Amino acid sequence: MSAEAKPVYPVDTESLYLPPKEAAKIGKKYTHEYRSGEPYHHICIDDFLPLEIVQKVYGEALAFDPKPPENSSAQEHLKASYSPDILPDYTRLVFSALNSQSFIRFLEEMSGISGLIADPYFKGGGIHRTNNGGYLGVHADFNHHKQMNLERRLNVLIYLNPEWKAEYGGDFEIWTDDMKEKISSYAPIQNRMCCFSTSSKSMHGNPEPVNHPDGKPRISIALYYYTATWTDSHVAHSTLFRPRPGTSDQQTYKQDRLRVMRKYTPPVLHPLTEKVMHKLRLI
């Protein structure tokens, strides 16, 4: 990463505006690369935003008081997220720009998914911070936005970490659904944008612990996008973790059982069946 690199998505650093037509043209340039991603559609683009924007957001994220890690478990460790609503002004405006019509047009042209909807609730999104020793196991994300009754379709991650090296850990990994093969691995270097299509089979994560020699955290922007395609035939689930072969990773058996039950029983029976499963300690 160099200060002279021309940004792929050249939004103005002050107004944070890029005309929608220009944004759509940029997205179209990456259509083939995105849709040829395996085992599911994905892309990682370096030098994505003007470097000044990334540096400002990184500075505000570091200056913000750290909070206790969330969801500490065998699958997730020393990771915390910060909603844009509680973050400093400039970072909050950057999130608004990434939820705007212009960025939606960019994503739609690149992914081929029309009718994308940004999340005003930032459910699960925001600034993600993983401290030294932290990790997030390989998983498929929750697929249903309950408040808006929408289907999750895309994830966007923009990494903020300057001078990050592969040996510092925290790589973003892409795996096959059967967990037999890691297809790709991307170091979370500053101003790298990773975008991928989400489903119950889009296995990904950063399972290798962060190991920065100076104790610096791994920090990223995380945003999710949806479509109004959710129907009663869909089966809602929360995060589904999968173990990597030859490791001590743990699987989310309770969520898997719940997902299977919802798939093969009528919706009217879900509340009663879940109550029984709770009593039996199956979920």
Side-chain angles (χ1 to χ4, degrees):
M1 164 58 63
S2 66
E4 294 77 22
K6 184 178 179 181
V8 169
Y9 191 82
V11 61
D12 184 81
T13 58
E14 293 186 7
S15 68
L16 297 172
Y17 179 72
L18 184 69
K21 288 185 178 179
E22 184 177 343
K25 287 180 181 178
I26 296 169
K28 198 168 186 177
K29 294 178 183 178
Y30 291 92
T31 298
H32 175 74
E33 185 177 352
Y34 181 85
R35 299 183 200 179
S36 61
E38 296 289 346
Y40 48 84
H41 295 173
H42 73 273
I43 194 171
C44 282
I45 304 173
D46 289 341
D47 301 315
F48 187 66
L49 295 172
L51 187 58
E52 180 183 343
I53 294 176
V54 175
Q55 290 173 332
K56 283 184 178 180
V57 174
Y58 180 69
E60 290 191 346
L62 278 182
F64 205 74
D65 290 337
K67 64 189 234 182
E70 305 158 349
N71 305 319
S72 185
S73 67
Q75 297 96 0
E76 184 176 343
H77 187 54
L78 296 179
K79 175 179 173 288
S81 60
Y82 299 78
S83 170
D85 294 331
I86 65 171
L87 293 171
D89 290 347
Y90 191 80
T91 296
R92 193 163 59 248
L93 291 172
V94 169
F95 273 91
S96 293
L98 296 173
N99 264 6
S100 69
Q101 177 195 165
S102 296
F103 197 63
I104 291 291
R105 291 287 305 279
F106 165 81
L107 293 174
E108 288 181 334
E109 288 293 339
M110 182 176 70
S111 68
I113 301 173
S114 60
L116 285 175
I117 300 169
D119 178 15
Y121 296 90
F122 296 106
K123 181 181 179 182
I127 291 290
H128 287 182
R129 174 175 177 148
T130 305
N131 292 329
N132 249 17
Y135 55 83
L136 179 63
V138 177
H139 62 282
D141 292 303
F142 70 84
N143 60 346
H144 181 224
H145 194 301
K146 192 172 182 179
Q147 290 96 323
M148 299 196 295
N149 197 33
L150 300 177
E151 180 182 6
R152 185 165 171 174
R153 302 297 300 278
L154 285 182
N155 282 14
V156 169
L157 307 170
I158 303 175
Y159 298 106
L160 307 178
N161 316 289
E163 301 177 356
W164 196 270
K165 298 179 180 179
E167 56 262 35
Y168 298 167
D171 282 10
F172 170 64
E173 299 182 4
I174 289 177
W175 285 74
T176 56
D177 178 45
D178 59 12
M179 293 302 296
K180 290 184 178 180
E181 184 180 2
K182 179 175 68 175
I183 299 298
S184 300
S185 182
Y186 302 95
I189 63 174
Q190 187 176 64
N191 212 6
R192 169 171 285 172
M193 187 279 285
C194 292
C195 177
F196 59 96
S197 295
T198 59
S199 74
S200 300
K201 296 182 178 182
S202 56
M203 295 297 161
H204 65 281
N206 48 284
E208 290 300 321
V210 174
N211 184 34
H212 195 285
D214 298 324
K216 293 182 180 179
R218 175 191 191 271
I219 298 180
S220 62
I221 290 171
L223 287 155
Y224 313 136
Y225 302 86
Y226 301 80
T227 55
T229 49
W230 188 266
T231 67
D232 289 341
S233 65
H234 289 74
V235 179
H237 61 73
S238 60
T239 307
L240 303 172
F241 287 93
R242 293 285 183 272
R244 293 169 296 165
T247 71
S248 59
D249 295 354
Q250 295 186 26
Q251 188 166 338
T252 47
Y253 293 105
K254 290 183 178 181
Q255 271 300 319
D256 291 339
R257 293 186 191 111
L258 188 60
R259 182 165 65 103
V260 171
M261 181 278 291
R262 288 172 174 168
K263 182 176 181 180
Y264 293 107
T265 60
V268 68
L269 295 179
H270 289 177
L272 176 61
T273 308
E274 288 180 25
K275 186 176 181 179
V276 172
M277 292 176 75
H278 271 296
K279 285 186 176 181
L280 296 174
R281 297 184 178 180
L282 294 175
I283 59 174

